[in-house]
Amino acid sequence: MSPTQNITSSTITSGRQTITPTIPVKSEAFSGGWSGSELAFRGQGVTTSTLLAEPSSPEAQNFVILFEQADPVNPDDLSAIVYLHEGFGQISVHTATGALTNMSVQSSHPIMTALLSAGGRLILKPTPVESAVFRRISELMELAIEDEIEMSPSSFCDLWSFISARPAASVPNVFALDNGNFRAVWKNPEGERVALEFQGSQTVGFVIFTQARSLGKMMRIAGVQTVRQVPAHIAAADAGHLLTK
Amino acid sequence: MNGEPIPDPDHVLRHVKARFMQGEDIDGSGFRLRENETELSFNWMEYYRNRTPDEQLQLIRKTFPLKPNKKDKFVKLNVGSAKRHVNDEHPEKKTIDFIEDGDEQVPSHCLMTGEPDIDDLVADLLTDCILEKYPAIP
């Protein structure tokens, strides 16, 4: 077991509030899966900033995600994801994204159960899909700024929840829409696709193209559903294979 | 003449922002109505009928009214193929058409109309019809 190490975060986007955390993290926590670790802010280190801070609601609980980019070889890559429950008072900030983001989820969300049982903090090794989506979102945020588009924090949070719940999923292409929503698309060379526009507030606009092999015909459906219900639509359309490797 | 349909054998270009593409993949969001649009804007290549496709592209770039970013693209569709594909494959058999709408500044401008409307499925179906992609800025 290696001793505690310091991880500092870097800035992706500029925002309205700044903190300077240094985070001592026990390295065994990076072995994967849900796990807790020693973590404290010491008021030093690299600057992080806020952009996608989602407002809280009475039915929801808040936590903060710190996206760590501490890989010396690939500094743009995501090296760890730190989840902090706001209720535990470990950080006194409402700062967010790029490097730090606030997320608000229903109290029944599995992340909340895990966070509470781990004492309010979790450090996870990012899955390949999380790493790829994070990298892509960083690119999209820059393009959105160029186009003077404000991306939706709620859309980001729903996208992040969706892919985080599917660690074995294949990596989608992700796009930033004019309305500030993120759209994730899984396609194959046969023209089949699952396209999910995360519209915020747990709502998803979906477009699904799947080949009905028995009919030799492409079937197409579109609609709007809740984030919770949309996997059932994907399964019913026999399109689940597009989300798996 | 404005209001006339573009002939089926002709081609149109759509300006697609870099946010709507990843690698070689162009997303259907590049074919959605923008905030200030009621129909979808395209440029008609064969407006410059006696020019080569390269020259047509150059002339469209030269008169394009927006300021494209470095990574943006123009994507090319065949008018007849796009109309047939949407009508054949859309579950509600929606129809689209391409209508001349040029003016002095942008003589090649044309509009894609949709009946009864242009929805996300129409937009995604149009990505199946992309023939070529060109950098918006050479």
Side-chain angles (χ1 to χ4, degrees), chain A residues 76-78 128 130-140:
Chain A
D76 290 337
D77 284 359
L78 193 57
E130 285 174 328
S131 294
V133 168
F134 179 80
R135 201 163 38 238
R136 173 62 177 162
I137 283 177
S138 302
E139 289 170 13
L140 289 172

Side-chain angles (χ1 to χ4, degrees), chain A:
Chain A
M1 185 182 85
S2 59
T4 299
Q5 61 186 47
N6 287 341
I7 293 180
T8 54
S9 58
S10 59
T11 304
I12 296 173
T13 54
S14 61
R16 54 177 187 266
Q17 196 171 353
T18 300
I19 60 164
T20 53
T22 297
I23 308 165
V25 178
K26 284 185 177 171
S27 55
E28 71 270 19
F30 289 82
S31 58
W34 298 102
S35 60
S37 180
E38 294 300 320
L39 192 149
F41 283 83
R42 301 196 307 199
Q44 295 174 26
V46 180
T47 299
T48 61
S49 56
T50 299
L51 188 65
L52 293 173
E54 191 182 30
S56 58
S57 71
E59 318 79 55
Q61 292 191 42
N62 287 343
F63 60 90
V64 174
I65 302 183
L66 171 59
F67 295 103
E68 281 289 351
Q69 295 167 282
D71 184 340
V73 182
N74 300 300
D76 290 337
D77 284 359
L78 193 57
S79 52
I81 306 169
V82 183
Y83 291 83
L84 300 165
H85 192 300
E86 280 195 332
F88 283 69
Q90 292 164 105
I91 54 176
S92 59
V93 292
H94 290 275
T95 54
T97 211
L100 270 174
T101 189
N102 271 0
M103 281 180 73
S104 179
V105 296
Q106 297 297 313
S107 304
S108 58
H109 194 286
I111 183 76
M112 274 304 165
T113 315
L115 253 181
L116 290 168
S117 58
R121 59 193 179 230
L122 290 167
I123 300 176
L124 305 178
K125 185 178 176 181
T127 63
V129 66
E130 285 174 328
S131 294
V133 168
F134 179 80
R135 201 163 38 238
R136 173 62 177 162
I137 283 177
S138 302
E139 289 170 13
L140 289 172
M141 293 299 286
E142 285 179 18
L143 292 170
I145 289 167
E146 279 177 27
D147 291 343
E148 297 179 348
I149 288 171
E150 193 177 330
M151 297 309 294
S152 158
S154 186
S155 175
F156 168 75
C157 291
D158 287 348
L159 166 61
W160 193 259
S161 293
F162 189 88
I163 59 137
S164 296
R166 289 162 183 78
S170 54
V171 176
N173 283 347
V174 182
F175 305 96
L177 310 192
D178 289 340
N179 58 13
N181 293 337
F182 291 100
R183 190 181 204 222
V185 183
W186 290 263
K187 280 169 111 164
N188 68 12
E190 287 74 51
E192 294 181 302
R193 75 192 63 169
V194 170
L196 304 179
E197 178 187 344
F198 292 89
Q199 299 176 338
S201 306
Q202 306 275 311
T203 306
V204 178
F206 64 90
V207 172
I208 301 173
F209 293 4
T210 47
Q211 193 73 37
R213 312 219 185 269
S214 57
L215 301 175
K217 198 171 181 322
M218 190 74 85
M219 310 307 285
R220 296 178 172 89
I221 56 167
V224 178
Q225 255 302 347
T226 62
V227 173
R228 187 178 281 200
Q229 288 297 318
V230 84
H233 282 261
I234 295 168
D238 205 14
H241 61 282
L242 292 167
L243 274 65
T244 54
K245 286 173 192 165

